[in-house]
Amino acid sequence: MSPIQGSLRSSLLLVFAILLMFWSSTNFNILGLGSQKMLFFDSYWLILIFGVVAGAYASYSWGSFRSVLGRSILSFTIGLSMQLFGQLTFSFLYWSSNGVVPYPSIPDIGFFGSIPLYSYGALQMAKSAGARRALKSLWGLLISVSIPMVMLALTVGVFIYGKSIDLSNWLMTFLDFGYPIGQAIYVVLAILTYLLSSEWLGGRLRMSVVFIVMGLLTQYLADSTFLYQNINAIWEPGSVSDLMYLVAYFFMSYGLLDFWIKYSLLKNSNIEVKRI
Amino acid sequence: MKNDYSSLVAKIISDQEAIIGSLAVDLAHNVNGLDWSDGIPAVIGDSKNVISDLVKVYSNLFGQSSVAICKDSIDSVDPDLSGEIIGGV
């Protein structure tokens, strides 16, 4: 591991710990910080900087467009950049319009734009981790059909059922349907990546993959919680959905950084081959 | 036969390169019994041991998933050989 990678990892862990303590202080009114939820909301995007920097180096190292793993890492990195764009523009609009952010608006370019990138990244990761091989078994086929069906039923039941189609506001209608369906697609791909490759997946890159999958799962929970809070008009800045976003961004950033570190370790090590 | 094994090694490396990029070639340089003087790998040691060692090197990445991909590469050239070589990994 290079000194830059070591510093980046230590800084990422430190910033995550500080932001976690900050969220706890604002939500449980520790040290009189109960009124600072907005400040937390305006600062936790910082964690994304680590993911974008580490992801750019990791993607370049693993072959970028020229390899399956490079394309996967690049896709997740651009996805995180889109989230960063969404977070920053949302904060700007929130402050400049006295707490009323129009929907749809500029931040949705970033938030919705990350969905196809996450989906493509998960698909490429499944390919590199050998998930396709499990599709040859009955168990693999069974979960590949049942998990998408369960997620589709959940998504329709919780977020789509009862929604009307308003063609006069086609963009809002598109996003109302597109957000929950798109999020369900990338989380299904993440779950299938892990389940289909779990029997085979090992080696030094196993934990990097696990961190990315955990990041996608947490982001799905965060997105679903935010949607639920928004539909029921109970969302406020710095609430539990923002804590979940922080954790999701941390897992994703740590996973991308881990890919970069593992690349350096593998490249610089003379792997010993033990003959049986 | 020597040339057949060299092309099999090249096939394994090229399939791994499609997944992990140029690191696949760097890792193959760690395997004893491969001559890179012409810029492409040529098997100069015990062929089956060299291929088995190459598969072991790649198994450091994704574990058995990487081994399975190597097995597919070997199967595409000589299906009878994979059991003999992968069985020892």
Side-chain angles (χ1 to χ4, degrees):
Chain A
M1 185 177 14
S2 73
I4 295 174
Q5 289 169 335
S7 307
L8 206 60
R9 187 161 74 175
S10 307
S11 307
L12 171 62
L13 290 168
L14 184 67
V15 168
F16 179 59
I18 290 171
L19 286 169
L20 265 185
M21 285 190 282
F22 189 26
W23 184 87
S24 307
S25 304
T26 57
N27 276 268
F28 301 109
N29 200 19
I30 301 165
L31 302 171
L33 288 170
S35 60
Q36 298 301 320
K37 283 186 178 179
M38 196 60 215
L39 189 59
F40 171 81
F41 176 75
D42 281 333
S43 55
Y44 78 88
W45 55 265
L46 270 171
I47 207 102
L48 285 165
I49 303 279
F50 293 94
V52 172
V53 171
Y57 278 105
S59 165
Y60 177 77
S61 304
W62 287 101
S64 193
F65 290 105
R66 294 181 303 281
S67 76
V68 177
L69 188 55
R71 284 195 291 274
S72 170
I73 295 171
L74 184 65
S75 227
F76 288 131
T77 306
I78 302 173
L80 281 187
S81 308
M82 298 291 267
Q83 287 284 322
L84 180 61
F85 174 80
Q87 290 284 353
L88 290 175
T89 50
F90 191 95
S91 282
F92 176 77
L93 286 176
Y94 191 89
W95 281 112
S96 58
S97 58
N98 295 320
V100 183
V101 179
Y103 169 75
S105 58
I106 299 289
D108 291 297
I109 296 172
F111 292 135
F112 192 79
S114 67
I115 292 174
L117 288 159
Y118 279 177
S119 303
Y120 181 73
L123 201 63
Q124 294 296 299
M125 187 145 288
K127 206 172 161 187
S128 63
R132 201 171 53 177
R133 204 171 183 82
L135 290 176
K136 292 174 185 170
S137 69
L138 182 65
W139 178 81
L141 275 174
L142 202 66
I143 62 165
S144 302
V145 174
S146 58
I147 289 177
M149 283 175 71
V150 169
M151 284 306 297
L152 184 69
L154 263 176
T155 303
V156 170
V158 177
F159 297 113
I160 293 180
Y161 185 72
K163 265 199 165 77
S164 56
I165 295 174
D166 178 9
L167 291 178
S168 64
N169 197 345
W170 64 270
L171 185 57
M172 188 194 275
T173 303
F174 172 75
L175 290 177
D176 279 351
F177 285 83
Y179 267 121
I181 291 172
Q183 287 154 2
I185 289 172
Y186 77 67
V187 81
V188 161
L189 288 169
I191 293 169
L192 288 179
T193 299
Y194 186 74
L195 289 180
L196 292 177
S197 60
S198 59
E199 191 185 337
W200 297 82
L201 191 63
R204 297 189 190 193
L205 297 176
R206 184 178 187 278
M207 281 317 292
S208 315
V209 175
V210 169
F211 276 118
I212 297 288
V213 170
M214 283 165 71
L216 291 173
L217 286 176
T218 320
Q219 169 117 20
Y220 174 75
L221 291 175
D223 284 333
S224 302
T225 307
F226 174 77
L227 271 179
Y228 177 81
Q229 289 175 324
N230 218 19
I231 289 167
N232 293 288
I234 53 170
W235 179 82
E236 59 168 355
S239 65
V240 72
S241 61
D242 286 319
L243 171 69
M244 293 161 98
Y245 278 118
L246 169 67
V247 175
Y249 295 159
F250 168 74
F251 280 139
M252 291 291 284
S253 299
Y254 198 90
L256 293 173
L257 178 59
D258 204 49
F259 268 115
W260 185 31
I261 291 172
K262 296 286 166 58
Y263 173 84
S264 301
L265 291 175
L266 284 161
K267 185 160 175 82
N268 298 324
S269 70
N270 191 355
I271 294 169
E272 189 186 347
V273 180
K274 286 179 183 154
R275 194 159 288 147
I276 298 167
Chain B
M1 182 57 87
K2 182 181 164 183
N3 283 339
D4 287 347
Y5 282 118
S6 293
S7 60
L8 177 57
V9 165
K11 167 78 177 150
I12 294 171
I13 296 171
S14 142
D15 286 354
Q16 288 292 326
E17 196 176 5
I19 293 166
I20 60 167
S22 60
L23 184 67
V25 179
D26 296 336
L27 291 175
H29 277 84
N30 292 332
V31 176
N32 290 325
L34 283 180
D35 176 25
W36 292 84
S37 54
D38 293 335
I40 51 167
V43 178
I44 52 169
D46 180 296
S47 305
K48 285 175 187 168
N49 280 337
V50 169
I51 295 169
S52 174
D53 288 351
L54 186 64
V55 176
K56 277 179 200 162
V57 164
Y58 291 136
S59 73
N60 273 286
L61 297 163
F62 287 114
Q64 283 302 308
S65 291
S66 302
V67 175
I69 291 163
C70 290
K71 185 179 181 299
D72 290 343
S73 305
I74 299 169
D75 281 346
S76 70
V77 176
D78 184 354
D80 296 331
L81 202 61
S82 64
E84 206 178 318
I85 293 172
I86 304 288
V89 176

